[in-house]
Amino acid sequence: GGQPRTRAGGVSLTSGAVLPFAPVLDQPVFELAAAGDTVYLAGNFLTVNGQPRQMAAAVDAATGTTTRAFTTDG
């Protein structure tokens, strides 16, 4: 859709339109799981949206912004 995305993005299954979901990851995502308002990501990344998230993160399903509810930080 001509809208930049960094390693992850959202597309409507019905219309094919690009959605606002746009987390920024520094390395590839290998697994996704959605639950309610949250998308869980797993991969080789160390940051999501500029925040430390080593290999696992949770982001808002609508926007891709990083949630504070889930972190792998010690």
Side-chain angles (χ1 to χ4, degrees), residues 30-60:
F30 297 130
E31 298 286 336
L32 297 170
D37 295 343
T38 304
V39 174
Y40 297 92
L41 310 168
N44 281 346
F45 52 84
L46 299 176
T47 64
V48 177
N49 299 322
Q51 299 176 9
R53 296 291 189 271
Q54 188 171 358
M55 300 170 74
V59 296
D60 181 85

